[in-house]
PDB file of all heavy atoms in Angstrom:
ATOM      1  N   TYR G 104       7.317   1.571  11.834  1.00 89.00           N
ATOM      2  CA  TYR G 104       7.151   2.840  11.136  1.00 89.00           C
ATOM      3  C   TYR G 104       6.355   2.558   9.863  1.00 89.00           C
ATOM      4  O   TYR G 104       6.714   1.663   9.087  1.00 89.00           O
ATOM      5  CB  TYR G 104       8.500   3.458  10.779  1.00 89.00           C
ATOM      6  CG  TYR G 104       9.172   4.170  11.930  1.00 89.00           C
ATOM      7  CD1 TYR G 104       9.655   3.473  13.033  1.00 89.00           C
ATOM      8  CD2 TYR G 104       9.312   5.555  11.925  1.00 89.00           C
ATOM      9  CE1 TYR G 104      10.269   4.120  14.091  1.00 89.00           C
ATOM     10  CE2 TYR G 104       9.934   6.222  12.979  1.00 89.00           C
ATOM     11  CZ  TYR G 104      10.403   5.495  14.056  1.00 89.00           C
ATOM     12  OH  TYR G 104      11.011   6.147  15.108  1.00 89.00           O
ATOM     13  N   ALA G 105       5.306   3.315   9.660  1.00 81.00           N
ATOM     14  CA  ALA G 105       4.435   3.067   8.512  1.00 81.00           C
ATOM     15  C   ALA G 105       5.215   3.139   7.206  1.00 81.00           C
ATOM     16  O   ALA G 105       5.038   2.295   6.314  1.00 81.00           O
ATOM     17  CB  ALA G 105       3.291   4.078   8.508  1.00 81.00           C
ATOM     18  N   ASP G 106       6.111   4.123   7.094  1.00 76.00           N
ATOM     19  CA  ASP G 106       6.840   4.287   5.841  1.00 76.00           C
ATOM     20  C   ASP G 106       7.900   3.205   5.662  1.00 76.00           C
ATOM     21  O   ASP G 106       8.226   2.822   4.542  1.00 76.00           O
ATOM     22  CB  ASP G 106       7.452   5.686   5.724  1.00 76.00           C
ATOM     23  CG  ASP G 106       7.961   6.249   7.034  1.00 76.00           C
ATOM     24  OD1 ASP G 106       8.037   5.507   8.030  1.00 76.00           O
ATOM     25  OD2 ASP G 106       8.287   7.453   7.077  1.00 76.00           O
ATOM     26  N   HIS G 107       8.454   2.673   6.765  1.00 73.00           N
ATOM     27  CA  HIS G 107       9.413   1.570   6.645  1.00 73.00           C
ATOM     28  C   HIS G 107       8.705   0.273   6.255  1.00 73.00           C
ATOM     29  O   HIS G 107       9.218  -0.514   5.453  1.00 73.00           O
ATOM     30  CB  HIS G 107      10.169   1.377   7.961  1.00 73.00           C
ATOM     31  CG  HIS G 107      11.073   0.185   7.983  1.00 73.00           C
ATOM     32  ND1 HIS G 107      12.045  -0.025   7.029  1.00 73.00           N
ATOM     33  CD2 HIS G 107      11.143  -0.878   8.829  1.00 73.00           C
ATOM     34  CE1 HIS G 107      12.692  -1.157   7.292  1.00 73.00           C
ATOM     35  NE2 HIS G 107      12.144  -1.699   8.369  1.00 73.00           N
ATOM     36  N   ALA G 108       7.510   0.023   6.810  1.00 74.00           N
ATOM     37  CA  ALA G 108       6.755  -1.173   6.433  1.00 74.00           C
ATOM     38  C   ALA G 108       6.423  -1.142   4.947  1.00 74.00           C
ATOM     39  O   ALA G 108       6.516  -2.161   4.249  1.00 74.00           O
ATOM     40  CB  ALA G 108       5.484  -1.282   7.270  1.00 74.00           C
ATOM     41  N   ALA G 109       6.064   0.043   4.451  1.00 75.00           N
ATOM     42  CA  ALA G 109       5.774   0.179   3.027  1.00 75.00           C
ATOM     43  C   ALA G 109       7.013  -0.109   2.198  1.00 75.00           C
ATOM     44  O   ALA G 109       6.947  -0.782   1.156  1.00 75.00           O
ATOM     45  CB  ALA G 109       5.237   1.579   2.737  1.00 75.00           C
ATOM     46  N   GLU G 110       8.166   0.398   2.666  1.00 75.00           N
ATOM     47  CA  GLU G 110       9.437   0.147   1.981  1.00 75.00           C
ATOM     48  C   GLU G 110       9.740  -1.341   1.909  1.00 75.00           C
ATOM     49  O   GLU G 110      10.253  -1.851   0.912  1.00 75.00           O
ATOM     50  CB  GLU G 110      10.548   0.874   2.747  1.00 75.00           C
ATOM     51  CG  GLU G 110      11.958   0.531   2.340  1.00 75.00           C
ATOM     52  CD  GLU G 110      12.986   1.180   3.265  1.00 75.00           C
ATOM     53  OE1 GLU G 110      12.965   0.911   4.484  1.00 75.00           O
ATOM     54  OE2 GLU G 110      13.807   1.955   2.750  1.00 75.00           O
ATOM     55  N   ALA G 111       9.413  -2.066   3.004  1.00 72.00           N
ATOM     56  CA  ALA G 111       9.686  -3.502   3.067  1.00 72.00           C
ATOM     57  C   ALA G 111       8.617  -4.326   2.358  1.00 72.00           C
ATOM     58  O   ALA G 111       8.751  -5.547   2.238  1.00 72.00           O
ATOM     59  CB  ALA G 111       9.786  -3.941   4.530  1.00 72.00           C
ATOM     60  N   GLY G 112       7.550  -3.667   1.908  1.00 74.00           N
ATOM     61  CA  GLY G 112       6.478  -4.377   1.232  1.00 74.00           C
ATOM     62  C   GLY G 112       5.671  -5.246   2.169  1.00 74.00           C
ATOM     63  O   GLY G 112       5.119  -6.273   1.753  1.00 74.00           O
ATOM     64  N   MET G 113       5.556  -4.839   3.442  1.00 72.00           N
ATOM     65  CA  MET G 113       4.861  -5.638   4.447  1.00 72.00           C
ATOM     66  C   MET G 113       3.722  -4.832   5.067  1.00 72.00           C
ATOM     67  O   MET G 113       3.795  -3.607   5.171  1.00 72.00           O
ATOM     68  CB  MET G 113       5.853  -6.093   5.526  1.00 72.00           C
ATOM     69  CG  MET G 113       7.012  -6.901   4.976  1.00 72.00           C
ATOM     70  SD  MET G 113       8.184  -7.455   6.236  1.00 72.00           S
ATOM     71  CE  MET G 113       7.219  -8.761   7.012  1.00 72.00           C
ATOM     72  N   ASP G 114       2.676  -5.542   5.456  1.00 78.00           N
ATOM     73  CA  ASP G 114       1.542  -4.888   6.096  1.00 78.00           C
ATOM     74  C   ASP G 114       1.922  -4.447   7.505  1.00 78.00           C
ATOM     75  O   ASP G 114       2.742  -5.094   8.175  1.00 78.00           O
ATOM     76  CB  ASP G 114       0.358  -5.853   6.182  1.00 78.00           C
ATOM     77  CG  ASP G 114      -0.199  -6.200   4.815  1.00 78.00           C
ATOM     78  OD1 ASP G 114      -0.057  -5.382   3.892  1.00 78.00           O
ATOM     79  OD2 ASP G 114      -0.766  -7.314   4.689  1.00 78.00           O
ATOM     80  N   LEU G 115       1.299  -3.369   7.959  1.00 84.00           N
ATOM     81  CA  LEU G 115       1.503  -2.949   9.337  1.00 84.00           C
ATOM     82  C   LEU G 115       0.900  -3.992  10.287  1.00 84.00           C
ATOM     83  O   LEU G 115      -0.200  -4.495  10.045  1.00 84.00           O
ATOM     84  CB  LEU G 115       0.850  -1.590   9.576  1.00 84.00           C
ATOM     85  CG  LEU G 115       1.596  -0.390   8.987  1.00 84.00           C
ATOM     86  CD1 LEU G 115       0.719   0.844   9.026  1.00 84.00           C
ATOM     87  CD2 LEU G 115       2.896  -0.150   9.741  1.00 84.00           C
ATOM     88  N   PRO G 116       1.595  -4.328  11.358  1.00 88.00           N
ATOM     89  CA  PRO G 116       1.099  -5.358  12.274  1.00 88.00           C
ATOM     90  C   PRO G 116      -0.080  -4.868  13.101  1.00 88.00           C
ATOM     91  O   PRO G 116      -0.257  -3.671  13.340  1.00 88.00           O
ATOM     92  CB  PRO G 116       2.318  -5.652  13.164  1.00 88.00           C
ATOM     93  CG  PRO G 116       3.121  -4.394  13.118  1.00 88.00           C
ATOM     94  CD  PRO G 116       2.927  -3.820  11.748  1.00 88.00           C
ATOM     95  N   GLN G 117      -0.898  -5.824  13.567  1.00 91.00           N
ATOM     96  CA  GLN G 117      -2.045  -5.502  14.399  1.00 91.00           C
ATOM     97  C   GLN G 117      -1.621  -5.143  15.824  1.00 91.00           C
ATOM     98  O   GLN G 117      -2.335  -4.431  16.524  1.00 91.00           O
ATOM     99  CB  GLN G 117      -3.026  -6.673  14.419  1.00 91.00           C
ATOM    100  CG  GLN G 117      -3.654  -6.959  13.067  1.00 91.00           C
ATOM    101  CD  GLN G 117      -4.448  -5.774  12.533  1.00 91.00           C
ATOM    102  OE1 GLN G 117      -5.340  -5.257  13.216  1.00 91.00           O
ATOM    103  NE2 GLN G 117      -4.119  -5.315  11.330  1.00 91.00           N
ATOM    104  N   GLU G 118      -0.494  -5.682  16.275  1.00 93.00           N
ATOM    105  CA  GLU G 118       0.081  -5.318  17.558  1.00 93.00           C
ATOM    106  C   GLU G 118       1.596  -5.374  17.408  1.00 93.00           C
ATOM    107  O   GLU G 118       2.113  -5.919  16.433  1.00 93.00           O
ATOM    108  CB  GLU G 118      -0.402  -6.230  18.681  1.00 93.00           C
ATOM    109  CG  GLU G 118      -0.133  -7.701  18.512  1.00 93.00           C
ATOM    110  CD  GLU G 118      -0.692  -8.494  19.695  1.00 93.00           C
ATOM    111  OE1 GLU G 118      -1.898  -8.432  19.957  1.00 93.00           O
ATOM    112  OE2 GLU G 118       0.113  -9.183  20.349  1.00 93.00           O
ATOM    113  N   PRO G 119       2.347  -4.765  18.333  1.00 94.00           N
ATOM    114  CA  PRO G 119       3.796  -4.659  18.143  1.00 94.00           C
ATOM    115  C   PRO G 119       4.486  -6.007  17.905  1.00 94.00           C
ATOM    116  O   PRO G 119       4.194  -6.997  18.582  1.00 94.00           O
ATOM    117  CB  PRO G 119       4.270  -4.021  19.454  1.00 94.00           C
ATOM    118  CG  PRO G 119       3.090  -3.212  19.908  1.00 94.00           C
ATOM    119  CD  PRO G 119       1.891  -4.021  19.529  1.00 94.00           C
ATOM    120  N   VAL G 120       5.374  -6.008  16.916  1.00 92.00           N
ATOM    121  CA  VAL G 120       6.238  -7.157  16.636  1.00 92.00           C
ATOM    122  C   VAL G 120       7.434  -7.062  17.580  1.00 92.00           C
ATOM    123  O   VAL G 120       8.164  -6.072  17.559  1.00 92.00           O
ATOM    124  CB  VAL G 120       6.706  -7.154  15.171  1.00 92.00           C
ATOM    125  CG1 VAL G 120       7.728  -8.265  14.923  1.00 92.00           C
ATOM    126  CG2 VAL G 120       5.515  -7.283  14.227  1.00 92.00           C
ATOM    127  N   VAL G 121       7.639  -8.084  18.399  1.00 95.00           N
ATOM    128  CA  VAL G 121       8.650  -8.037  19.448  1.00 95.00           C
ATOM    129  C   VAL G 121       9.734  -9.073  19.169  1.00 95.00           C
ATOM    130  O   VAL G 121       9.440 -10.223  18.846  1.00 95.00           O
ATOM    131  CB  VAL G 121       8.021  -8.315  20.828  1.00 95.00           C
ATOM    132  CG1 VAL G 121       9.081  -8.284  21.925  1.00 95.00           C
ATOM    133  CG2 VAL G 121       6.919  -7.302  21.122  1.00 95.00           C
ATOM    134  N   PHE G 122      10.990  -8.648  19.282  1.00 94.00           N
ATOM    135  CA  PHE G 122      12.111  -9.581  19.225  1.00 94.00           C
ATOM    136  C   PHE G 122      13.202  -9.064  20.152  1.00 94.00           C
ATOM    137  O   PHE G 122      13.127  -7.952  20.665  1.00 94.00           O
ATOM    138  CB  PHE G 122      12.625  -9.769  17.790  1.00 94.00           C
ATOM    139  CG  PHE G 122      13.173  -8.525  17.143  1.00 94.00           C
ATOM    140  CD1 PHE G 122      14.530  -8.233  17.193  1.00 94.00           C
ATOM    141  CD2 PHE G 122      12.335  -7.653  16.468  1.00 94.00           C
ATOM    142  CE1 PHE G 122      15.039  -7.082  16.593  1.00 94.00           C
ATOM    143  CE2 PHE G 122      12.832  -6.499  15.856  1.00 94.00           C
ATOM    144  CZ  PHE G 122      14.184  -6.228  15.926  1.00 94.00           C
ATOM    145  N   PHE G 123      14.206  -9.885  20.364  1.00 95.00           N
ATOM    146  CA  PHE G 123      15.288  -9.523  21.267  1.00 95.00           C
ATOM    147  C   PHE G 123      16.619  -9.479  20.532  1.00 95.00           C
ATOM    148  O   PHE G 123      16.839 -10.216  19.566  1.00 95.00           O
ATOM    149  CB  PHE G 123      15.408 -10.533  22.419  1.00 95.00           C
ATOM    150  CG  PHE G 123      14.304 -10.454  23.419  1.00 95.00           C
ATOM    151  CD1 PHE G 123      13.098 -11.099  23.196  1.00 95.00           C
ATOM    152  CD2 PHE G 123      14.454  -9.720  24.589  1.00 95.00           C
ATOM    153  CE1 PHE G 123      12.063 -11.024  24.112  1.00 95.00           C
ATOM    154  CE2 PHE G 123      13.427  -9.641  25.518  1.00 95.00           C
ATOM    155  CZ  PHE G 123      12.231 -10.302  25.274  1.00 95.00           C
ATOM    156  N   LYS G 124      17.502  -8.604  21.006  1.00 96.00           N
ATOM    157  CA  LYS G 124      18.916  -8.657  20.653  1.00 96.00           C
ATOM    158  C   LYS G 124      19.662  -9.202  21.876  1.00 96.00           C
ATOM    159  O   LYS G 124      19.328  -8.859  23.016  1.00 96.00           O
ATOM    160  CB  LYS G 124      19.466  -7.265  20.324  1.00 96.00           C
ATOM    161  CG  LYS G 124      18.956  -6.671  19.033  1.00 96.00           C
ATOM    162  CD  LYS G 124      19.476  -5.253  18.852  1.00 96.00           C
ATOM    163  CE  LYS G 124      20.818  -5.206  18.175  1.00 96.00           C
ATOM    164  NZ  LYS G 124      20.737  -5.289  16.706  1.00 96.00           N
ATOM    165  N   ALA G 125      20.679 -10.003  21.647  1.00 97.00           N
ATOM    166  CA  ALA G 125      21.521 -10.448  22.753  1.00 97.00           C
ATOM    167  C   ALA G 125      22.229  -9.233  23.360  1.00 97.00           C
ATOM    168  O   ALA G 125      22.674  -8.339  22.635  1.00 97.00           O
ATOM    169  CB  ALA G 125      22.547 -11.468  22.272  1.00 97.00           C
ATOM    170  N   THR G 126      22.328  -9.197  24.684  1.00 97.00           N
ATOM    171  CA  THR G 126      23.013  -8.067  25.320  1.00 97.00           C
ATOM    172  C   THR G 126      24.501  -8.046  24.983  1.00 97.00           C
ATOM    173  O   THR G 126      25.142  -6.999  25.104  1.00 97.00           O
ATOM    174  CB  THR G 126      22.820  -8.098  26.842  1.00 97.00           C
ATOM    175  OG1 THR G 126      23.246  -9.367  27.347  1.00 97.00           O
ATOM    176  CG2 THR G 126      21.354  -7.887  27.208  1.00 97.00           C
ATOM    177  N   SER G 127      25.050  -9.172  24.523  1.00 97.00           N
ATOM    178  CA  SER G 127      26.460  -9.192  24.107  1.00 97.00           C
ATOM    179  C   SER G 127      26.692  -8.391  22.835  1.00 97.00           C
ATOM    180  O   SER G 127      27.836  -8.133  22.456  1.00 97.00           O
ATOM    181  CB  SER G 127      26.946 -10.636  23.915  1.00 97.00           C
ATOM    182  OG  SER G 127      26.101 -11.335  23.020  1.00 97.00           O
TER     183      SER G 127
END
Side-chain angles (χ1 to χ4, degrees):
Y104 280 68
D106 36 11
H107 174 54
E110 169 187 60
M113 302 180 74
D114 293 333
L115 285 168
Q117 295 300 306
E118 58 181 59
V120 174
V121 179
F122 62 94
F123 288 83
K124 290 176 87 83
T126 55
S127 54

